[in-house]
Amino acid sequence: MHERLLPASPNWYCSRCSDTNTKGILGFGARNSIYLVQVTAASPIILGELSGHKERVSGFVFSPHLGEENTCASTSDDKTVKIWDIEKRVVVSEHSAHEHTITALDWSPKEKMLVVTGDEKGVVMCFWHNSINIHSFMPQPRAIFCLSCSPHHESHVAIGYKDGLVAVIDISKKGAMIHRLRGHDDEIHALAWCSQPGEAGLYSRPEDGGEGADAGVAGTQAGEEGCYLASGSRDQTLRVWSTAKGKGVMTLKLPFLKRRGVSVDPGVKERIWLTVHWPKGRPTHLVSSCFGGELVLWDLTKSDKQKWSVLGSSADGSNQNHSRIVFNLSSTVVDNTELLISTSMDREIKCWSLSSLECCWSLPTLGGFVYALSVSPVASGMLAVGVGDNMIRVWNTLSLSRAYDTRLFWQGIRSKVTALAWHPAKEAQLAFGTDDGKVGIYDVFSNKPPQSSSTYHKRTVYTLAWGPPLPPLSFGGDKPSYSLYSCGGEGIIFQHDPWKLTADALNIDKLICDTNQIKHKLSPHTDFSWKPDGTVLAIGNEDGSIGVFAAPSLKQLCSVEQHHKIINTLRWHHAHSSCPDLHALLASGSSNAIVYVHNLRSAIESPAESPITITEAFRSLEGHTAKITGMDWSPHHDGRLVTVGYDGTAQVWNVLKGEPLCNYRGHRGRLLCVQWSPVDPERLWTGGDDFTVHEWSMTKQEHTKPPKGKRAQQLKAKMKKKKKLTGKGGMRIEDEAMAGGGGGEEEEEEEEEEKKGMKITPVAEKEEAVAVEATPASNGEGAGEEEDEGEDKDKGKGRVNTPLTPAVPEWRRGSGQTYATALAPDRLQNGEKATAPVRKEEKKREKPEASVRKKKQRSLLPLSTSMDHRPKEHLLRDCITLASYTHARDDVGECVPGSGEHIQFGLFSDREALQRMLDEEERGHLEGGHYESMFTLRLWRGQEVEALKLAMDKGELNDHLIAMAPMAGYGVWVEVVEAYVKQLCRQDQHLKAAAHLLSIGKFYDAISLLKTHHFYREAIAMAKARLRPDDPVLVDLYMTWAEQLEKDGHYTAGAKCYLAVGRDFDAAKIVGRKGDAASLQAAATLARVSGHRELSRSFALRCAKDLAAAQDWRPAQEVLLQEGLSSTSLLFSANELLVMRLSPVGVVTWSPTSTHDWSVPSAEDFLQTVGGVWQREFGMCASSPESLRAAVEELGAMENPEVTANVPLKQLLSQVALDVSLGMLSWMLGDGRAALKHFLHAVVRGFEATNFTLMSELCDILFPQGLDSLTQYQKALDPSCADSAAVSRSLEAFICYKNLYRTWWAGTPQGLRLSTGKDSANLNGPPETDLNGLCEQSYENGVSDTNGSAGLDSAAQGQEELGEVLLEVGRRVLSEPHAVLQANQRAVAEVQKQVSTLVQMHSRGLEAQPSSGETLLQSNQDVPSSQQDGGDRCLPSLMTCMSEHNKAIADLPEHVKFFPQKYPFPNVVECCIVVLYLSRNAKASLTLPSHDALHLLQKYGAPLQAAWQKLT
């Protein structure tokens, strides 16, 4: 499905996570998938991926056996082993017998069906996947890092452990140890067997071998069997082991390779990963990684100085090596070239030629979500990719030498790259925005670090764009031609000066408010887009509205109120379209999965004095099933748009027709960004959260619309995972937050949920960014190198506890250290160990009776007290010693009362002894952690200050000490209270901390503390009780709480906060944020009560339109009448009457929710019914011309876009109702020309929507007597007005067109009727326009019989009526000027199509020659003879032909040239076919227009002549 693809990065820190087979296919594990790549010497080709693991893929290997190249095995952190068929992309076999994380994998080269795995607890499992037999054993209770099966002995497996041990075991003997190879001091990263049996001579030194081996050639003696095994370890050495000798024969120390200009990292050992690979057919050569990403080829037959050479060290000094450590190596032979594949931490996969040691190609990979794509408008083909791995890739997509020619930029970037924008004129300047709010500019043609703006956003940067400077940056002569604009998650748009990024950026909200005199708070901005000519700026907001502003003053032109949810993306149509109307198309996408396109030409070119509100879209594109995250207009087509969203698909739309063109479904996750190729009109790029960028062709997709079935539901459920959290007592989080004054992490969930693609909830963002992007499982930078030692240490080291797989037969279970043994662990119940049941009586007895007693208070002098509880003889001796000391101190030299063994004497001696005793007691309390007792002792000694300071330092203040603090003085008391406040904040006791601040008079600090910790309700209560109502602190509290509540989705509570401070406008806006009818009606009422009439009318109109869309007409009218929207009430009444009138004839198939009594269908003419209802219910009549003119002006300002074939019927009827209402009002004002013009538009809408039944019913409703009814209107027209005549002519043509087809279908046999796709009971589609097919089907159904059809002779359709219909058609429809116009327009369209084909062929480097079958639709006489040859067309001849057709169009009358925009007209040639067919079944005596029809058909319907001849 894709052309090219940037895949996810191979997983890090895995001993074997990539491998190649003999067909040259590379497979590598990335996240929880496996990517397959076709390896060639020129470039890689991504074949696809294998998806099935639930967690990170930890191992991958191909089957090494002949004929089994398409079979491979993988392991995952989900503890499963899967066997795959890469051709069918299915799992052949699998098992999940491992209990712990699998760390090693290999496929036995000797036994075809054997896959061996090892886990972090030392368990080895042998899996025969054809019979699902499993053997398990634990050779050593150590963590396994890698293993490798011997290519020479079917039962020998080498295992590398974390502690540096290399063991060779025999799996046929239950894992018996054959060799225990000691020599490494650290974990073993890789093992590799020599592919050649035996032990050929290698160069070695005395220290390499053991037991006095002499220098020289190391090898086995004749008759000995064995082979070599190589190992790489974190201790920076490679060792070659002899299995015959059971010891090492060679030790290779990694060379320190100092790169040019780069010093050796002293801590490189901490980040080293030493992998080793022994290429097949090279028994004397090893390939290993080195310290910094270099690859070293070792020649084992040479001495030290000649032993190694570095791959990629070209003569020109360029460095081709990886820039960071290498994890995996594998080799294959393609076209007789031996190729080596390496994967690295630098997120590149490199292919090397082992003969030349040069790098053949590099494949860049991605280590995070693809948040942004941007194509350079100057350097065509330069695609910038912003990724969540903190890096930018610039991909030269047009490179002829390398398919994946990319450059990497990471300097100065410390977080995810979420936004990118190329400079419009400078090809080297690339602006970027990051997740931490940083904005910078890179010079991609230099190696310099980027320039960074000094102004940071508080949250993620979502959008970047270059645009014209705005005031004050636009003032003065020395100014940049473009400014850089950025929009962040906090809702602010900054203008950065690219010449002075160190200067403060400007918030454009100030300019908007000053220019438009806005005093209320602006809604937070979420996206913006500059019109390509730089004259208009569109800004999307969090409340779903879109503001359109004229540069440079940012005067607001209009407001688009279509979306009800946050705006995620905005895009203007490109400026090089041939149609001026398309230049003003603005596409927008939000979280409601609908893409709206608005035509803002009238608002831009003819701005009103006050901003207008637009609530009708030019096109509504429905098909996505989840939020829209990105979009882009095709620079090669008019009105072609691509959109992407959370449903995981990219959808291409024909906006002009409102039709889906193709749908791309190649991604395996949500899509976040999209770009159209500026060179190839069929090529696009998409990026998403599956860590990939896909390049795909629009014409190669098999799907047209996004998925609607099970896959879409699964994607939607996966993308919208929301945990329904509950608070205390079952209260919902929302209610709990409201009751508690807000605050808490749960309130952040809905804030970012409504953001665009990457704008996800903080919880989900952490899970995806940490658990997916940055963990060791998914190539994270900080991948841990220590094993998880969280398991219990006292478990039996030789025990293997594996759950028995039901498919494993009994005889394979083994004994002892095999499958489930008697040493099984305790069973788990819901994740916890099961315990024996305890009866209630036993539980009661367990409670000690002493627990009800009062707790004895701890002694404050425990040391001295304990000395008085010794045996009696010691106490008697103490008395003698104390007396001796008191009366004869000189004789008792060793006795120091109050310390040491005589601490108890401190109470009975002098004050100095007491002080010594108290010092000893304090030290004892301090060591025991009894701070309160120590503080009490200091208080006793009068050391209040010291006691309090010590408590402050220890963080052990309490209420008792605070009560004692005033004893030390006022200053000390205040200091202690402040310290206690900080201590309480650390303990999350913020309310208590605020109370203590109040006690020392720090009222504002108390309020600030509560506000900081989101206790808004308490802070407001405190402030309102003490401050004036207009105090700025109180106002700030209300505003801050309102903003927080708005972010959390608590709109009604936020509105109350705004109302409390007099921000009525903001209160109404936030109430309407919910978007449902009740909220909109409440918002309208609130705005009306507050005096904001325009806002009230806007909400009322939105509410009424939502109700009308639900066919709930009664409440819709009530809302409109409450707000005085009388003109809209007229429109809605006409719409309701139209729906009810069309229900009995089957056009309307739904049942309205509620209707008025006056809308019941009656026999009265429809227009008379409308006029009567207007007069009775709304007081609108011809006697009040001022009201009529006001209604015409108001309804005429409403957007009423052109229709397409797939417009929804409800929307189509609302547009028809608007035309009918305007026509009725114009007729009541006496303007017959305008009335007929609007009626014509109403009829044509059904025709253009390909709904013939609707068109015919509208003709009957508006003109019940057909042409006679039209004549009544024509009497009021000015005969000299050409415009009136043209409108009348078009209406006459459509009425005759309707009669013509009704006559045909009424007398056509059932077979022909069905073949045209119509049923007399339900003619919802258009008449058959494929006239060749029509004639062929008519011929096949036998209607070519010259005697006519039996249906045409029926009594219901007389010959006279047929003659009248045909005569009227001939007189009013078979117009030669219109036939000329339509023929030339078809020819121009065909020429444009061929010119487009030539341009595409030229851009692809193909021969610019159209096929011989491509001919222009030409007439026989009006097309120049120079163009009538059937030869090949070149570009000059095509352009000449187009100019001649345009000249023919220019020579037509004015009223004809405006077809079909102003005066639509039926297809003349199509009507000629029907007239000729019906004329052949009419009587010969009738005068029929068959001659004129045949003349027009022959002259302007050349492609249809063959079909007509076949019919006749």
Side-chain angles (χ1 to χ4, degrees):
M1 297 174 70
H2 60 264
E3 303 294 319
R4 288 182 289 183
L5 182 146
L6 295 182
S9 297
N11 293 332
W12 296 353
Y13 298 104
C14 299
S15 62
R16 186 195 296 269
C17 204
S18 67
D19 195 15
T20 53
N21 64 10
T22 56
K23 292 184 177 180
I25 297 178
L26 165 69
F28 64 89
R31 303 177 70 216
N32 57 355
S33 298
I34 299 159
Y35 286 88
L36 302 174
V37 182
Q38 180 65 61
V39 176
T40 66
S43 64
I45 302 172
I46 311 294
L47 300 178
E49 63 179 301
L50 306 176
S51 181
H53 285 293
K54 297 179 181 179
E55 296 185 28
R56 180 194 74 142
V57 174
S58 58
F60 177 81
V61 64
F62 276 107
S63 172
H65 300 278
L66 188 63
E68 297 289 327
E69 297 86 354
N70 293 327
T71 307
C72 58
S74 63
T75 60
S76 169
D77 288 348
D78 60 12
K79 303 179 183 63
T80 62
V81 179
K82 294 181 183 290
I83 310 298
W84 304 82
D85 185 332
I86 64 173
E87 279 191 347
K88 299 178 181 179
R89 310 284 172 87
V90 295
V91 176
V92 177
S93 178
E94 64 178 309
H95 81 82
S96 56
H98 279 281
E99 283 188 340
H100 305 285
T101 302
I102 304 172
T103 55
L105 166 71
D106 197 15
W107 199 303
S108 173
K110 296 293 288 182
E111 193 161 346
K112 192 174 183 179
M113 299 298 174
L114 175 61
V115 175
V116 184
T117 54
D119 63 30
E120 61 184 3
K121 293 302 179 181
V123 177
V124 177
M125 288 197 177
C126 299
F127 175 41
W128 285 266
H129 69 85
N130 61 330
S131 57
I132 320 182
N133 293 336
I134 304 174
H135 282 184
S136 67
F137 31 82
M138 182 184 286
Q140 290 289 314
R142 313 166 189 261
I144 296 176
F145 249 60
C146 58
L147 61 81
S148 181
C149 298
S150 171
H152 313 297
H153 198 292
E154 62 182 12
S155 61
H156 287 187
V157 178
I159 303 175
Y161 289 95
K162 181 179 178 181
D163 60 358
L165 172 66
V166 177
V168 180
I169 65 171
D170 190 336
I171 60 176
S172 64
K173 300 179 180 179
K174 300 181 181 180
M177 189 80 67
I178 300 175
H179 297 294
R180 182 189 293 266
L181 306 176
R182 274 292 188 183
H184 289 294
D185 300 327
D186 213 332
E187 56 199 34
I188 308 298
H189 290 159
L191 294 169
W193 292 91
C194 179
S195 59
Q196 181 174 318
E199 297 182 355
L202 303 178
Y203 185 89
S204 63
R205 298 168 300 173
E207 58 268 29
D208 292 333
E211 300 180 0
D214 297 330
V217 177
T220 59
Q221 301 296 327
E224 293 185 6
E225 294 182 357
C227 56
Y228 286 127
L229 173 67
S231 60
S233 170
R234 190 179 178 185
D235 62 8
Q236 308 178 44
T237 63
L238 296 170
R239 291 182 181 268
V240 180
W241 310 88
S242 167
T243 58
K245 298 179 180 179
K247 63 179 182 179
V249 296
M250 182 175 292
T251 302
L252 308 173
K253 295 183 178 180
L254 293 184
F256 279 92
L257 304 174
K258 184 176 180 181
R259 299 183 181 179
R260 184 172 57 182
V262 181
S263 59
V264 176
D265 185 358
V268 71
K269 181 181 177 181
E270 299 302 321
R271 298 292 298 274
I272 191 174
W273 186 273
L274 184 49
T275 186
V276 60
H277 175 67
W278 209 317
K280 293 182 180 180
R282 290 177 175 246
T284 60
H285 289 84
L286 273 177
V287 182
S288 75
S289 59
C290 202
F291 292 105
E294 302 90 352
L295 296 179
V296 180
L297 179 65
W298 301 86
D299 190 337
L300 305 182
T301 61
K302 296 182 179 179
S303 60
D304 284 346
K305 294 182 179 180
Q306 306 169 345
K307 183 166 289 187
W308 55 267
S309 54
V310 180
L311 276 70
S313 56
S314 58
D316 58 2
S318 61
N319 182 25
Q320 302 176 353
N321 281 289
H322 290 284
S323 59
R324 304 179 79 176
I325 57 178
V326 176
F327 291 112
N328 296 132
L329 297 171
S330 59
S331 62
T332 186
V333 177
V334 178
D335 296 332
N336 298 323
T337 302
E338 192 171 5
L339 302 177
L340 177 74
I341 309 297
S342 57
T343 65
S344 168
M345 186 184 277
D346 64 3
R347 305 192 190 281
E348 283 197 346
I349 300 174
K350 289 183 177 289
C351 176
W352 309 82
S353 171
L354 286 179
S355 57
S356 63
L357 304 186
E358 296 294 325
C359 181
C360 301
W361 48 260
S362 295
L363 175 62
T365 61
L366 310 179
F369 293 2
V370 181
Y371 289 107
L373 294 173
S374 181
V375 178
S376 173
V378 182
S380 298
M382 298 296 286
L383 176 67
V385 184
V387 190
D389 57 8
N390 308 351
M391 289 187 283
I392 301 171
R393 278 88 168 167
V394 176
W395 181 11
N396 182 5
T397 60
L398 299 181
S399 175
L400 299 178
S401 58
R402 291 189 294 167
Y404 296 94
D405 183 8
T406 60
R407 292 189 62 193
L408 199 64
F409 299 91
W410 53 268
Q411 292 179 305
I413 302 176
R414 296 292 180 267
S415 63
K416 308 169 191 173
V417 181
T418 54
L420 294 170
W422 289 93
H423 194 282
K426 299 179 180 179
E427 60 179 344
Q429 287 197 7
L430 174 64
F432 67 90
T434 64
D435 184 53
D436 59 3
K438 181 177 182 177
V439 175
I441 301 177
Y442 251 114
D443 186 343
V444 299
F445 291 165
S446 71
N447 295 323
K448 298 179 180 178
Q451 304 178 50
S452 299
S453 174
S454 61
T455 303
Y456 274 63
H457 284 277
K458 295 180 180 179
R459 295 189 180 178
T460 304
V461 179
Y462 292 136
T463 308
L464 284 175
W466 297 86
L470 297 176
L473 194 60
S474 61
F475 297 151
D478 188 16
K479 61 182 181 181
S481 56
Y482 292 95
S483 292
L484 178 61
Y485 297 85
S486 61
C487 179
E490 73 277 21
I492 295 176
I493 298 177
F494 283 126
Q495 177 184 196
H496 307 265
D497 186 351
W499 289 1
K500 298 178 182 178
L501 286 176
T502 54
D504 290 340
L506 305 174
N507 185 350
I508 70 170
D509 280 358
K510 184 178 185 304
L511 178 61
I512 294 175
C513 293
D514 293 344
T515 302
N516 299 280
Q517 299 180 355
I518 298 176
K519 297 182 180 179
H520 60 82
K521 181 180 71 72
L522 296 178
S523 178
H525 309 311
T526 56
D527 197 63
F528 68 94
S529 179
W530 278 100
K531 202 166 179 287
D533 59 6
T535 58
V536 181
L537 173 65
I539 299 177
N541 301 314
E542 197 174 78
D543 61 1
S545 63
I546 302 172
V548 181
F549 304 88
S553 63
L554 294 189
K555 171 69 175 177
Q556 186 165 4
L557 303 176
C558 64
S559 176
V560 179
E561 303 284 349
Q562 192 79 46
H563 297 277
H564 295 166
K565 294 187 178 181
I566 182 173
I567 301 297
N568 294 329
T569 178
L570 292 170
R571 286 295 182 275
W572 288 95
H573 193 278
H574 57 77
H576 50 271
S577 171
S578 58
C579 180
D581 281 343
L582 300 183
H583 299 172
L585 292 184
L586 175 66
S588 56
S590 71
S591 297
N592 62 357
I594 301 177
V595 178
Y596 291 110
V597 181
H598 292 86
N599 188 350
L600 306 180
R601 183 181 181 185
S602 60
I604 295 173
E605 296 180 355
S606 304
E609 293 183 3
S610 59
I612 63 174
T613 301
I614 297 176
T615 57
E616 287 293 333
F618 173 73
R619 291 289 181 269
S620 298
L621 308 177
E622 300 184 24
H624 284 287
T625 56
K627 66 169 63 177
I628 309 300
T629 55
M631 59 178 54
D632 193 28
W633 291 95
S634 167
H636 313 280
H637 310 87
D638 287 346
R640 186 165 293 185
L641 179 71
V642 59
T643 57
V644 297
Y646 268 19
D647 60 6
T649 67
Q651 179 65 48
V652 180
W653 308 87
N654 184 335
V655 174
L656 301 182
K657 296 182 179 180
E659 297 175 348
L661 296 180
C662 75
N663 182 260
Y664 180 69
R665 306 182 183 182
H667 285 270
R668 291 187 178 272
R670 302 173 296 186
L671 297 191
L672 306 177
C673 50
V674 62
Q675 279 285 293
W676 212 298
S677 170
V679 178
D680 190 341
E682 305 297 332
R683 189 151 298 187
L684 300 95
W685 296 287
T686 49
D689 66 0
D690 58 356
F691 290 42
T692 62
V693 172
H694 290 213
E695 178 185 86
W696 50 277
S697 177
M698 187 179 70
T699 56
K700 297 182 180 180
Q701 307 309 314
E702 59 182 2
H703 301 287
T704 304
K705 298 180 180 180
K708 294 290 185 182
K710 185 177 179 181
R711 181 172 182 264
Q713 296 173 0
Q714 291 174 347
L715 280 171
K716 190 173 182 180
K718 178 181 178 182
M719 309 311 179
K720 283 194 171 183
K721 278 186 178 178
K722 289 184 179 180
K723 296 181 179 179
K724 297 182 179 179
L725 303 177
T726 55
K728 298 177 181 178
M731 180 184 289
R732 292 185 296 114
I733 288 297
E734 176 180 343
D735 299 333
E736 187 178 22
M738 297 282 291
E745 296 179 1
E746 65 274 54
E747 294 185 359
E748 300 294 329
E749 288 190 13
E750 290 186 11
E751 175 185 351
E752 297 294 327
E753 166 65 23
E754 295 297 333
K755 302 296 182 183
K756 45 178 168 163
M758 56 285 195
K759 301 176 185 177
I760 52 182
T761 64
V763 175
E765 191 171 20
K766 288 179 182 178
E767 291 176 357
E768 291 177 288
V770 178
V772 177
E773 291 188 27
T775 58
S778 296
N779 326 325
E781 179 62 26
E785 297 181 1
E786 298 296 330
E787 290 290 326
D788 183 8
E789 299 294 344
E791 301 290 336
D792 295 337
K793 303 285 186 178
D794 56 351
K795 289 185 179 180
K797 293 185 178 181
R799 302 175 185 176
V800 184
N801 304 313
T802 309
L804 183 59
T805 305
V808 179
E810 294 287 339
W811 66 274
R812 283 292 191 181
R813 296 184 186 180
S815 60
Q817 292 184 351
T818 318
Y819 254 120
T821 64
L823 303 175
D826 296 333
R827 291 188 177 182
L828 302 183
Q829 296 180 354
N830 299 326
E832 299 180 359
K833 287 188 177 181
T835 55
V838 181
R839 288 184 293 181
K840 293 182 179 180
E841 294 78 8
E842 295 175 351
K843 288 185 177 180
K844 290 180 180 179
R845 287 198 297 269
E846 289 176 1
K847 295 182 179 180
E849 296 179 0
S851 61
V852 297
R853 299 176 183 175
K854 293 184 178 179
K855 185 178 180 180
K856 186 177 181 181
Q857 190 173 358
R858 180 188 297 273
S859 173
L860 294 178
L861 302 172
L863 298 181
S864 58
T865 302
S866 64
M867 298 298 289
D868 289 335
H869 290 82
R870 293 178 297 167
K872 183 177 181 181
E873 56 271 17
H874 291 280
L875 298 179
L876 294 174
R877 191 182 306 117
D878 286 346
C879 294
I880 298 173
T881 303
L882 180 60
S884 301
Y885 177 81
T886 303
H887 297 284
R889 295 189 178 187
D890 297 338
D891 296 340
V892 191
E894 296 182 358
C895 178
V896 181
S899 65
E901 297 179 355
H902 306 98
I903 187 174
Q904 69 275 18
F905 293 166
L907 285 175
F908 311 105
S909 186
D910 53 17
R911 178 175 293 181
E912 294 180 357
L914 178 65
Q915 296 292 348
R916 288 194 294 271
M917 183 192 74
L918 294 179
D919 290 341
E920 291 273 354
E921 295 286 1
E922 286 181 9
R923 284 193 291 270
H925 287 312
L926 183 62
E927 292 174 359
H930 307 140
Y931 300 105
E932 188 172 354
S933 300
M934 180 187 65
F935 301 147
T936 303
L937 293 180
R938 290 205 173 187
L939 290 175
W940 289 357
R941 299 167 68 179
Q943 298 176 355
E944 297 89 356
V945 177
E946 290 80 359
L948 293 171
K949 288 186 176 180
L950 182 60
M952 290 164 56
D953 295 339
K954 296 293 184 181
E956 294 291 336
L957 289 170
N958 53 36
D959 294 338
H960 173 68
L961 291 177
I962 296 300
M964 299 293 106
M967 298 171 56
Y970 177 79
V972 175
W973 172 57
V974 172
E975 182 181 0
V976 171
V977 171
E978 291 176 345
Y980 190 39
V981 167
K982 295 179 181 178
Q983 177 182 319
L984 290 173
C985 289
R986 290 193 296 270
Q987 299 170 355
D988 294 333
Q989 301 184 48
H990 304 105
L991 294 176
K992 188 176 181 180
H996 280 283
L997 284 175
L998 290 177
S999 68
I1000 58 176
K1002 294 194 173 185
F1003 174 71
Y1004 287 103
D1005 290 346
I1007 293 178
S1008 177
L1009 185 146
L1010 292 176
K1011 173 188 171 183
T1012 302
H1013 295 90
H1014 304 289
F1015 286 90
Y1016 298 108
R1017 192 181 297 272
E1018 290 77 4
I1020 289 174
M1022 184 187 298
K1024 206 171 184 64
R1026 298 196 179 200
L1027 299 178
R1028 299 188 312 274
D1030 59 344
D1031 192 287
V1033 173
L1034 182 59
V1035 174
D1036 179 66
L1037 278 174
Y1038 275 119
M1039 293 298 295
T1040 305
W1041 192 20
E1043 292 174 359
Q1044 185 65 45
L1045 290 169
E1046 186 175 0
K1047 292 176 181 177
D1048 297 338
H1050 309 319
Y1051 300 130
T1052 55
K1056 296 173 186 176
C1057 294
Y1058 284 128
L1059 290 172
V1061 293
R1063 306 291 289 268
D1064 304 327
F1065 187 93
D1066 295 326
K1069 291 281 286 185
I1070 190 176
V1071 168
R1073 281 284 304 278
K1074 188 84 173 176
D1076 60 287
S1079 299
L1080 292 173
Q1081 187 172 2
T1085 305
L1086 179 57
R1088 184 180 69 255
V1089 171
S1090 305
H1092 299 285
R1093 294 296 301 174
E1094 290 298 325
L1095 183 63
S1096 174
R1097 292 167 67 90
S1098 173
F1099 280 125
L1101 188 58
R1102 285 178 56 188
C1103 177
K1105 287 190 174 182
D1106 289 349
L1107 291 170
Q1111 300 294 293
D1112 201 357
W1113 298 107
R1114 279 184 177 274
Q1117 287 287 2
E1118 292 173 0
V1119 171
L1120 293 174
L1121 293 176
Q1122 286 177 359
E1123 299 299 328
L1125 295 172
S1126 57
S1127 301
T1128 311
S1129 296
L1130 299 179
L1131 170 62
F1132 277 41
S1133 63
N1135 196 351
E1136 182 180 355
L1137 288 167
L1138 183 63
V1139 169
M1140 297 302 293
R1141 183 63 67 96
L1142 293 176
S1143 296
V1145 296
V1147 176
V1148 173
T1149 57
W1150 61 82
S1151 299
T1153 305
S1154 66
T1155 58
H1156 295 85
D1157 296 336
W1158 43 258
S1159 65
V1160 178
S1162 63
E1164 188 181 11
D1165 288 348
F1166 177 75
L1167 294 180
Q1168 293 180 1
T1169 302
V1170 172
V1173 170
W1174 284 4
Q1175 184 174 1
R1176 292 192 308 272
E1177 302 295 333
F1178 308 105
M1180 187 67 64
C1181 59
S1183 60
S1184 54
E1186 294 299 329
S1187 300
L1188 292 174
R1189 291 191 187 94
V1192 169
E1193 183 179 356
E1194 185 174 343
L1195 294 181
M1198 290 186 177
E1199 186 77 17
N1200 203 12
E1202 299 176 4
V1203 298
T1204 59
N1206 55 355
V1207 64
L1209 183 57
K1210 290 182 180 179
Q1211 181 181 345
L1212 178 60
L1213 291 179
S1214 67
Q1215 295 173 354
V1216 170
L1218 180 56
D1219 289 325
V1220 172
S1221 300
L1222 288 170
M1224 188 67 184
L1225 290 170
S1226 300
W1227 181 254
M1228 294 170 69
L1229 282 170
D1231 190 352
R1233 180 184 61 84
L1236 288 184
K1237 191 174 181 179
H1238 290 301
F1239 291 155
L1240 172 63
H1241 289 163
V1243 172
V1244 169
R1245 288 187 186 278
F1247 175 75
E1248 293 178 343
T1250 67
N1251 193 328
F1252 179 78
T1253 304
L1254 176 61
M1255 187 207 75
S1256 61
E1257 292 298 332
L1258 287 173
C1259 288
D1260 292 341
I1261 287 175
L1262 299 176
F1263 309 103
Q1265 304 301 325
L1267 294 176
D1268 294 338
S1269 298
L1270 181 60
T1271 304
Q1272 300 300 322
Y1273 291 100
Q1274 290 173 341
K1275 292 178 181 179
L1277 301 180
D1278 183 3
S1280 62
C1281 180
D1283 193 28
S1284 300
V1287 173
S1288 298
R1289 192 178 298 111
S1290 293
L1291 275 172
E1292 291 172 352
F1294 276 105
I1295 293 174
C1296 294
Y1297 178 79
K1298 178 260 298 184
N1299 293 334
L1300 175 67
Y1301 271 94
R1302 279 190 174 175
T1303 302
W1304 176 31
W1305 282 332
T1308 302
Q1310 187 68 16
L1312 178 58
R1313 195 179 313 147
L1314 293 177
S1315 69
T1316 61
K1318 302 294 174 287
D1319 193 320
S1320 59
N1322 185 18
L1323 303 177
N1324 289 327
E1328 180 62 64
T1329 56
D1330 184 0
L1331 298 179
N1332 286 287
L1334 172 79
C1335 298
E1336 291 173 2
Q1337 291 172 3
S1338 302
Y1339 182 80
E1340 292 170 0
N1341 285 277
V1343 298
S1344 60
D1345 187 3
T1346 57
N1347 292 327
S1349 174
L1352 293 177
D1353 295 330
S1354 63
Q1357 184 66 45
Q1359 291 292 325
E1360 292 77 9
E1361 183 182 349
L1362 174 61
E1364 291 179 7
V1365 170
L1366 295 180
L1367 284 175
E1368 292 294 341
V1369 171
R1371 188 181 305 118
R1372 307 177 190 277
V1373 180
L1374 303 186
S1375 168
E1376 185 166 1
H1378 287 93
V1380 172
L1381 176 66
Q1382 293 170 0
N1384 281 280
Q1385 286 181 335
R1386 289 194 295 267
V1388 168
E1390 185 66 25
V1391 171
Q1392 290 175 341
K1393 181 179 179 181
Q1394 291 194 9
V1395 170
S1396 176
T1397 303
L1398 287 175
V1399 173
Q1400 294 179 25
M1401 294 170 63
H1402 178 72
S1403 65
R1404 297 174 182 174
L1406 301 177
E1407 182 180 0
Q1409 295 291 337
S1411 63
S1412 59
E1414 295 177 349
T1415 60
L1416 295 178
L1417 182 62
Q1418 305 172 9
S1419 66
N1420 291 341
Q1421 299 180 11
D1422 292 335
V1423 178
S1425 59
S1426 60
Q1427 302 298 333
Q1428 290 186 12
D1429 56 340
D1432 295 340
R1433 294 300 181 87
C1434 60
L1435 186 60
S1437 66
L1438 289 173
M1439 299 308 294
T1440 302
C1441 180
M1442 183 180 294
S1443 64
E1444 292 179 356
H1445 286 301
N1446 288 329
K1447 184 177 181 300
I1449 294 175
D1451 293 338
L1452 293 171
E1454 291 295 326
H1455 71 276
V1456 177
K1457 283 192 296 186
F1458 283 112
F1459 164 81
Q1461 292 83 7
K1462 195 172 182 181
Y1463 310 111
F1465 206 84
N1467 190 319
V1468 177
V1469 176
E1470 172 192 332
C1471 293
C1472 289
I1473 290 286
V1474 180
V1475 167
L1476 288 173
Y1477 171 71
L1478 293 177
S1479 298
R1480 296 177 61 254
N1481 297 280
K1483 289 183 179 180
S1485 60
L1486 296 177
T1487 303
L1488 301 176
S1490 54
H1491 176 74
D1492 296 336
L1494 184 60
H1495 170 72
L1496 293 176
L1497 179 63
Q1498 292 174 345
K1499 193 173 182 180
Y1500 304 106
L1504 304 178
Q1505 290 185 22
W1508 174 246
Q1509 291 173 1
K1510 184 177 180 181
L1511 179 64
T1512 58

